[in-house]
Amino acid sequence: MKFIDEYRDPEAAAGYARALRRITTRPWTLMEVCGGQTHAIVKFGVDELLPPEVELVHGPGCPVCVTPLELIEKAIEIASTPGVIFCSFGDMLRVPGRSHDLLTVKARGGDVRIVYSPLDAVAIARAHPDREVVFFAVGFETTAPATALAVWQAKQLGLVNFSVLVAHVLVPPAMEAILASPQNRVQGFLAAGHVCTVMGYEEYLDIAARHRVPIVVTGFEPVDLAEGILMVVRQLEAGKHEVENQYVRSVRRAGNTRAQEAIREVYEVCDQAWRGMGVIARSGLRLTPRYRDFDAASRFEVDAIVAVEPRECRSGEVLRGLLRPTECAAFAGACTPERPLGAPMVSSEGACAAYYRYRKGT
């Protein structure tokens, strides 16, 4: 295949669905671990092609959604500080804090800017040496190399007015946390193709073996997803638990070693809190001692800020695959993109946003 429309060919996807129906003999529950995959599944109706025995549940695959409330509060506090230029990807501006969001800070006069790359924030810091410039470093392993490069570049340039509020999280520990939960129903995973483009898939081998679950690295188009689901169920029906790569056009077993080197240069692994999932051991990144001067949380003394998730928001259950967005009583009523209770309703990768956009009337 050469063009994107080939990966959206209805007949090709239907062919995988027919093959799936032929081999499925019992119920199976699969989880996709990427918000981009969730949106594609709901938008294109991939789940509606599947036999009734195969259930898809949505995992913590949206980095904006899993960023804990206390980090949002820290971001709001820093962005509200006079003299600060606060830079972020656009999704983060609508994520609600305890009383308001970053967009409200901007409306009240804070200098909050949407950037498309962490290097844009470095450029802003160079252009405004009299201002403190902070970048909200959110994302999985996919975006960590770019923020690492930004921090490295800032150090090389001697930028004393640049820092990052780090909210990077790692996917494999979250998968382990889901599998270890007594509430777990997941029997196989569609792994996030973009994460594996950076990190490869060798670290999934141990997870698959220890938990006896098949893991298939999968792309983001309907045909990718249909094939990935077939590959997982084929393993389940055969009693296998291996790691396979459906996304061969992008992913290699070892991943992008240069990008991994950039992450290791600037970051080290640490325990990290996830929205709705609590603290997961060794699931986050923090700056190494060599780059600790660029840590915005320390620079602005916001480490002591704590926040409790609101009880009325059930996004934690959505992120753990225990609840579909439409099963939440607040969905499309008390919780909408205009008035969200939680991040999954406003993020472009959030499961609640996907269901609101494509399934609200169903």
Side-chain angles (χ1 to χ4, degrees):
M1 296 185 185
K2 298 180 180 179
F3 306 106
I4 193 169
D5 57 346
E6 298 176 74
Y7 292 97
R8 297 181 178 181
D9 178 18
E11 183 51 40
Y16 287 121
R18 288 192 294 270
L20 186 61
R21 285 193 290 272
R22 286 195 297 270
I23 68 167
T24 303
T25 63
R26 53 172 290 190
W28 301 110
T29 301
L30 281 54
M31 174 180 280
E32 82 276 359
V33 195
C34 176
Q37 292 174 339
T38 301
H39 272 252
I41 287 166
V42 178
K43 176 180 179 180
F44 294 103
V46 174
D47 54 333
E48 297 174 337
L49 292 174
L50 307 180
E53 295 86 357
V54 178
E55 179 186 7
L56 290 180
V57 295
H58 316 305
C62 165
V64 173
C65 302
V66 302
T67 301
L69 184 61
E70 66 181 42
L71 262 172
I72 304 300
E73 286 295 311
K74 291 174 183 179
I76 290 171
E77 178 69 20
I78 293 170
S80 302
T81 304
V84 167
I85 300 174
F86 193 87
C87 300
S88 174
F89 298 135
D91 272 8
M92 296 304 302
L93 270 61
R94 290 296 314 283
V95 178
R98 284 177 292 193
S99 62
H100 58 281
D101 54 24
L102 285 166
L103 197 61
T104 303
V105 175
K106 181 177 178 66
R108 292 174 178 174
D111 196 344
V112 178
R113 306 186 187 185
I114 295 175
V115 295
Y116 298 96
S117 165
L119 294 176
D120 293 341
V122 174
I124 292 170
R126 295 184 70 182
H128 299 276
D130 57 327
R131 305 277 298 279
E132 284 283 347
V133 177
V134 180
F135 177 72
F136 201 177
V138 175
F140 294 133
E141 296 94 326
T142 318
T143 57
T147 60
L149 178 60
V151 173
W152 179 86
Q153 187 178 89
K155 187 175 182 66
Q156 300 304 307
L157 293 169
L159 292 179
V160 297
N161 65 323
F162 176 81
S163 59
V164 291
L165 181 62
V166 182
H168 284 304
V169 287
L170 308 175
V171 170
M175 294 169 63
E176 293 241 40
I178 289 168
L179 291 169
S181 169
Q183 297 173 296
N184 174 56
R185 298 189 300 118
V186 177
Q187 297 162 292
F189 282 103
L190 303 180
H194 287 171
V195 169
C196 294
T197 298
V198 174
M199 302 302 294
Y201 54 86
E202 290 181 347
E203 58 190 325
Y204 294 104
L205 300 174
D206 183 57
I207 297 174
R210 284 190 295 105
H211 294 278
R212 302 183 67 81
V213 295
I215 300 173
V216 175
V217 180
T218 309
F220 301 85
E221 297 299 332
V223 173
D224 290 325
L225 292 159
E227 183 181 18
I229 293 166
L230 175 62
M231 292 168 71
V232 173
V233 173
R234 187 179 285 139
Q235 282 201 52
L236 288 168
E237 290 283 343
K240 296 181 179 179
H241 42 86
E242 301 170 353
V243 178
E244 292 186 275
N245 180 19
Q246 182 277 333
Y247 202 33
V248 293
R249 65 185 184 277
S250 180
V251 174
R252 301 293 178 268
R253 178 174 174 135
N256 185 327
T257 56
R258 293 285 296 275
Q260 294 168 30
E261 289 169 3
I263 294 173
R264 287 193 295 269
E265 166 65 22
V266 173
Y267 293 114
E268 61 186 12
V269 176
C270 64
D271 298 346
Q272 178 65 43
W274 293 55
R275 183 187 292 262
M277 299 183 69
V279 175
I280 302 177
R282 298 184 61 78
S283 69
L285 296 175
R286 66 185 176 195
L287 294 169
T288 62
R290 183 181 180 189
Y291 295 91
R292 201 65 53 81
D293 289 344
F294 294 95
D295 179 43
S298 297
R299 183 176 298 189
F300 290 90
E301 300 181 341
V302 295
D303 277 324
I305 292 177
V306 295
V308 178
E309 305 288 342
R311 290 183 179 179
E312 63 270 23
C313 181
R314 301 181 68 184
S315 60
E317 294 168 83
V318 174
L319 293 168
R320 298 197 304 276
L322 303 176
L323 184 77
R324 290 189 181 278
T326 50
E327 295 170 344
C328 175
F331 177 79
C335 183
T336 67
E338 291 74 28
R339 294 182 178 180
L341 291 177
M345 182 55 88
V346 292
S347 170
S348 62
E349 294 188 352
C352 298
Y355 275 78
Y356 187 90
R357 182 173 182 180
Y358 304 114
R359 300 277 177 89
K360 184 175 61 171
T362 60

